[in-house]
Amino acid sequence: MKLTPLFVGAFTLALATSASAQTLTIATVNNGDMVRMQGLSSAFTEETGIDLNWVVLEENTLRQNVTTDIATNGGQYDVMTIGTYEAPIWAKQGWLSPLTNLSSDADYDVDDLLPPIRDALSYEGELYAAPFYGESSFIMYRKDLMEKAGLEMPAEPTWEFIGEAARAMTDRANDINGICLRGKAGWGENIAFLTAMSNSFGARWFDENWQPQFDSPQWKETLDTYLSLMADAGPAGASSNGFNENLTLFQQGKCGMWIDATVAASFVTNPDDSTVADQVGFALAPDTGLGKRGNWLWAWSLAIPNSSQNKEAAEQFINWATSKDYLALVAENEGWANVPPGTRTSLYENPEYQEAAPFAQMTLDAINAANPNEPTVDPVPYVGVQYVAIPEFAGIGTNVGQLFSAALAGQMSADDALAQAQEATTRDMTRAGYIK
């Protein structure tokens, strides 16, 4: 892969001399775009003299490590990969350094960041994390298998249609599963998917008095639909599958449909990685006719913990990795279809990107359609589409995720999982003082 020198702007050049001989430790997730960033980062080191020490972790492990480090003021990392859930909560707690230089740098152009993504990463109007890529979720499907089943994907698909299509496309003899969905336990793994799905069924995590709602008919319908769909049309061992596992299955031609992050679109359509690249279609996340679709809003982003001793150099790296110039660098080396999506307005106005990425407009529409302030049908006291933006949610959501994953694995019934989720969440919310 040929790399060319990258002009990183006056902000970078002004800091290069003082930052030389420094080493930054960067914690990130093992998703494809981050792995690509690591591969391209030699351009940053050549330009600035700043060495990079990478800690690349599986999603659940990353969350555990960076949360422990920042909460204990450990100082292990200079740059952390975090999401829209953590950024405002950790900023409020004083754990993150504001990205003031980015906000004032004309070359960086903070106003070019997509408003829903920028707002989700800000606290009291100040940016505390810069988006590396942004996403919502949608349906990725095999057009050839849909046609073989005698079906056509609707413009606005319902969960009923998805169930019909998944079962029709399933071909166990040829190792083809009609649908692949997240089953791995974790508040950012199966709970992200199931919470977004539940919104489309009218379910809520909490009512307006913070009472858990897992004993509601909406949650029962959500979980029953999910478990039945996975039993009839899902892959074996689905309770161990998260984003990366399902991505691999889809790329290998073993999934008729996959409902997950829009960022996967470039990977499933890349002929170098995907055996079905020329057969992939895209559609909106499903609904049930209640006015909400099962799509979420997220950004994997780069932030600086206050415990870092290298904040100036850390912000310099974040400038490089989330800039327009970085997008151009990826385009030059990997093609426009593979640039990190969902962060900048200018990207979606770029004709080269529009031509190279047939999923571009649908991705943008899905991001803009997700409303963290009104995530479901009925009013809620919280913000967040696929999570609840309170500090306690990481623990509570992971606990519920373990119960739902156990139900998927056949270790308990849906009713038992919901009952235990209701009991445990009520206990935790009472202890935390939300329920009086």
Side-chain angles (χ1 to χ4, degrees):
M1 181 167 56
K2 180 177 179 292
L3 296 179
T4 58
L6 178 67
F7 176 74
V8 292
F11 172 72
T12 295
L13 297 176
L15 292 175
T17 302
S18 62
S20 63
Q22 284 183 290
T23 298
L24 296 175
T25 298
I26 302 170
T28 195
V29 67
N30 65 341
N31 291 350
D33 282 293
M34 277 68 175
V35 173
R36 182 179 289 130
M37 172 175 62
Q38 184 182 5
L40 293 172
S41 64
S42 59
F44 173 79
T45 297
E46 290 170 8
E47 188 75 32
T48 65
I50 300 173
D51 292 323
L52 304 176
N53 175 37
W54 292 89
V55 180
V56 183
L57 302 168
E58 182 271 337
E59 186 169 325
N60 285 340
T61 305
L62 172 78
R63 289 191 168 108
Q64 293 168 0
N65 282 20
V66 299
T67 300
T68 298
D69 186 77
I70 203 165
T72 59
N73 201 37
Q76 184 177 354
Y77 307 113
D78 298 299
V79 177
M80 291 178 168
T81 302
I82 65 173
T84 52
Y85 166 72
E86 295 96 345
I89 293 174
W90 290 2
K92 182 178 180 180
Q93 292 171 321
W95 293 351
L96 297 177
S97 178
L99 302 179
T100 52
N101 288 321
L102 293 192
S103 298
S104 61
D105 182 8
D107 288 334
Y108 184 80
D109 191 7
V110 73
D111 290 333
D112 186 47
L113 299 178
L114 292 173
I117 300 295
R118 178 181 174 183
D119 291 347
L121 298 172
S122 299
Y123 174 67
E124 294 186 342
E126 186 82 49
L127 191 68
Y128 278 85
F132 182 71
Y133 71 75
E135 66 183 35
S136 185
S137 53
F138 57 16
I139 304 167
M140 294 159 276
Y141 68 96
R142 291 268 303 275
K143 292 185 287 187
D144 57 333
L145 295 182
M146 188 71 73
E147 182 179 357
K148 183 179 178 181
L151 298 170
E152 183 176 349
M153 180 66 76
E156 298 182 353
T158 64
W159 281 106
E160 182 179 6
F161 174 83
I162 294 302
E164 176 189 357
R167 291 173 174 90
M169 287 192 285
T170 299
D171 183 356
R172 301 295 192 197
N174 290 301
D175 199 18
I176 295 175
N177 309 286
I179 196 162
C180 294
L181 302 173
R182 297 188 188 192
K184 180 187 290 186
W187 71 263
E189 282 281 10
N190 65 338
I191 287 301
F193 171 79
L194 283 166
T195 299
M197 179 180 179
S198 76
N199 292 337
S200 67
F201 283 83
R204 300 180 288 179
W205 267 79
F206 305 104
D207 69 12
E208 292 172 283
N209 296 314
W210 291 103
Q211 294 287 342
Q213 297 295 294
F214 293 108
D215 57 358
S216 68
Q218 292 90 346
W219 261 110
K220 178 170 174 53
E221 186 179 7
T222 300
L223 193 57
D224 282 347
T225 300
Y226 167 77
L227 294 177
S228 175
L229 186 56
M230 293 296 279
D232 293 345
S239 61
S240 298
N241 292 347
F243 173 83
N244 281 324
E245 292 80 7
N246 284 327
L247 171 60
T248 298
L249 286 172
F250 194 95
Q251 289 176 321
Q252 292 174 347
K254 296 181 179 181
C255 303
M257 288 182 290
W258 180 29
I259 305 173
D260 212 297
T262 53
V263 71
S266 66
F267 295 99
V268 298
T269 56
N270 186 338
D272 293 335
D273 302 316
S274 176
T275 62
V276 295
D278 62 343
Q279 293 295 336
V280 182
F282 304 95
L284 297 173
D287 70 359
T288 63
L290 298 178
K292 294 291 181 179
R293 294 199 168 273
N295 61 296
W296 63 64
L297 181 68
W298 184 256
W300 277 118
S301 306
L302 303 178
I304 304 169
N306 263 333
S307 55
S308 170
Q309 300 301 306
N310 301 297
K311 293 179 184 176
E312 192 174 33
E315 191 164 1
Q316 185 180 356
F317 173 79
I318 292 175
N319 180 302
W320 174 81
T322 63
S323 67
K324 297 177 186 178
D325 287 330
Y326 178 80
L327 300 183
L329 177 66
V330 175
E332 182 177 349
N333 288 276
E334 304 281 351
W336 275 107
N338 295 306
V339 303
T343 62
R344 290 186 171 272
T345 299
S346 57
L347 178 64
Y348 290 90
E349 295 173 345
N350 184 330
E352 292 180 281
Y353 182 65
Q354 292 173 356
E355 182 178 355
F359 45 81
Q361 189 60 49
M362 188 169 290
T363 296
L364 183 61
D365 290 345
I367 287 173
N368 288 331
N371 186 349
N373 296 309
E374 297 179 4
T376 188
V377 176
D378 294 325
V380 293
Y382 54 85
V383 172
V385 181
Q386 77 277 26
Y387 57 82
V388 177
I390 58 174
E392 295 81 6
F393 183 75
I396 292 172
T398 294
N399 182 48
V400 174
Q402 290 167 347
L403 293 169
F404 291 172
S405 187
L408 179 60
Q411 298 168 0
M412 65 174 65
S413 68
D415 288 346
D416 285 344
L418 289 167
Q420 291 188 39
Q422 179 72 14
E423 180 182 1
T425 305
T426 300
R427 181 185 63 243
D428 291 342
M429 294 295 284
T430 301
R431 288 175 177 172
Y434 290 87
I435 301 174
K436 306 300 183 183

